[in-house]
Every structure is written in C-alpha cells, then in structure tokens.
Amino acid sequence: AQTVTQSQPEMSVQEAETVTLSCTYDTSESDYYLFWYKQPPSRQMILVIRQEAYKQQNATENRFSVNFQKAAKSFSLKISDSQLGDAAMYFCAYRANYGGSQGNLIFGKGTKLSVKP
Amino acid sequence: DTGVSQNPRHKITKRGQNVTFRCDPISEHNRLYWYRQTLGQGPEFLTYFQNEAQLEKSRLLSDRFSAERPKGSFSTLEIQRTEQGDSAMYLCASSRDTSRGKETQYFGPGTRLLVL
C-alpha cells in the first residue's frame, strides 16, 4: 500500500525567509503524481504545486518549488520569501496514475507552518 | 466557476441519529470524491464517483455510510446511526477527467460533524 510521511508536525519561519517542508512516500508504482496542498485555518484546501513522477524537472510556482528525488522517494516543498499569508497546514499527497482512470489522493498528516513577522 | 460547495458547514447531532451532507461540485467536473479528516490528520479517502457511478469505496466506509450522486451532479453522503467516532470534517472534492490523468482535485470547505 502507498503511504505518505511528513515528519515535521510544525515548522516556523521568519517573514521573507525561506523554509523547506519535508515529505517522503512509499510506492511500488512508477507512474504517479505528487502534490502539496495548503489548508489555511478554517478555510478550504487549495493546490499549491504538482509534480509528475515521469518528469525529472522540479516543478515551480512563483515562490513555491519542489525538490523531487524519485529514487529516494522524497518530495520536499520550498517556500521562498515567506509571507504572513503562507501560514497554514501543508499536506503532501500522492496519487497513482492508472492510465487516466480514478485515483484518490493519499495524504500525509500535515505540517503546520507558522510565519513570524 | 463558483467552486465546490458543501452544506451544511456544521452539524451537531446526537449519537444514533442519521445525518446527510450535500456536495455541489464545479459544474463541468465529472469526478467527485469524499474524504474524511479527523483532528491532526490528513484527509482519508472514502469514496469516488465518475458521473453517477460509484467506482470505488474505501474500507473506511462502513455499512452505516452511503453515498449517492444522482444524475451525475450533486452528491449526498449519509451516515446512519451516528457514533462519536464519526465526528470529523467531511470534505468533498471534484475534478475533470483529462488526458494522462492530469486531473486536479478542487476541495470544498467541508462539513464539520460533531456527534454528542
């Protein structure tokens, strides 16, 4: 069975600084997607960034980038120039790609990020 | 695009009562997912619809849980004979089937259930 592990329950960063959130996963599949979702307090979950396993290039979205190490099954999220609005729970998630058929997300337990002014 | 909506946002019920939640997906999305999130945990998959067909159910979905998606539009999740262990946030997500599974799941705000 696939699993996702986030070993950092809480992280803190100073505003404008850079922080990296860790995620490891376990799977026997070769074709899958990895995601980072952000869940602000009392607000709905939104997608931050997505990585396709067959692409070696790390995904980037503005201040957010990932370090995808397929062999090590590691998928970390780097947030640059942290802003107060980045404070939230961050969830790493995995989804196998069965040729376009269904694929539920498997989530880690989350990392609570605090941003200090 | 009005996003995924869920109703009610909060529900308090007594143990043994039945409850029903509703999810309205983004209009052109043919896939709909239900997840459950307990305190301090990430969301856990419950069930999945492609149009009106329920294609997958998690082992977490006991016999007391039933989900429907009539006409492939909104979906309902019913819990019969609620137990205190059912207290959680119930999340709905929808997506559109795309090539090579490049779907993105968009989440609703959730329904928070408290069973007393």
Side-chain angles (χ1 to χ4, degrees):
Chain A
Q2 297 94 351
T3 58
V4 176
T5 302
Q6 293 180 250
S7 59
Q8 306 155 316
E10 296 187 23
M11 290 284 285
S12 180
V13 64
Q14 204 72 34
E15 194 176 6
E17 296 295 308
T18 296
V19 65
T20 298
L21 308 184
S22 302
C23 173
T24 59
Y25 59 95
D26 189 23
T27 183
S28 58
E29 302 289 337
S30 59
D31 192 7
Y32 51 87
Y33 291 85
L34 296 165
F35 306 83
W36 279 98
Y37 276 87
K38 171 185 177 182
Q39 189 176 41
S42 301
R43 294 182 62 185
Q44 61 203 81
M45 200 170 313
I46 58 174
L47 178 67
V48 174
I49 199 165
R50 172 176 59 197
Q51 175 77 42
E52 300 170 62
Y54 66 91
K55 286 188 176 179
Q56 292 187 340
Q57 186 175 7
N58 290 323
T60 61
E61 287 288 343
N62 301 314
R63 297 182 296 107
F64 299 88
S65 62
V66 298
N67 183 4
F68 173 49
Q69 302 290 327
K70 191 172 184 179
K73 296 180 181 175
S74 171
F75 182 62
S76 61
L77 174 69
K78 185 171 81 171
I79 307 174
S80 304
D81 186 25
S82 297
Q83 301 176 359
L84 295 177
D86 294 334
M89 282 292 289
Y90 285 81
F91 292 98
C92 178
Y94 162 98
R95 182 174 68 81
N97 181 32
Y98 299 111
S101 65
Q102 74 272 17
N104 55 283
L105 293 168
I106 298 170
F107 287 88
K109 291 187 176 182
T111 296
K112 183 179 180 181
L113 178 66
S114 303
V115 181
K116 297 178 180 179
Chain B
D1 181 355
T2 58
V4 179
S5 62
Q6 292 186 246
N7 288 288
R9 294 291 307 278
H10 303 273
K11 179 71 177 179
I12 300 174
T13 191
K14 292 183 179 179
R15 187 178 55 182
Q17 298 294 305
N18 299 344
V19 294
T20 300
F21 310 141
R22 175 176 171 131
C23 171
D24 287 90
I26 294 171
S27 58
E28 69 268 23
H29 285 184
N30 60 337
R31 296 182 175 182
L32 188 147
Y33 300 81
W34 284 99
Y35 293 85
R36 182 173 68 187
Q37 185 178 19
T38 54
L39 202 60
Q41 302 293 320
E44 295 174 294
F45 169 74
L46 292 178
T47 190
Y48 153 74
F49 290 86
Q50 176 132 346
N51 300 311
E52 66 275 10
Q54 188 174 18
L55 297 185
E56 191 174 354
K57 292 195 290 187
S58 162
R59 288 173 293 177
L60 292 175
L61 212 65
S62 75
D63 291 343
R64 297 184 297 104
F65 287 70
S66 62
E68 295 182 342
R69 193 183 182 197
K71 302 178 183 178
S73 56
F74 71 92
S75 175
T76 58
L77 178 67
E78 181 183 16
I79 309 174
Q80 296 182 327
R81 304 181 303 282
T82 53
E83 301 173 356
Q84 289 181 327
D86 296 332
S87 296
M89 175 78 85
Y90 290 84
L91 297 170
C92 175
S94 72
S95 67
R96 182 173 54 190
D97 192 3
T98 61
S99 62
R100 268 202 62 83
K102 289 185 180 180
E103 62 165 314
T104 295
Q105 294 183 26
Y106 294 87
F107 282 81
T111 295
R112 186 171 293 282
L113 172 66
L114 178 61
V115 181
L116 301 176

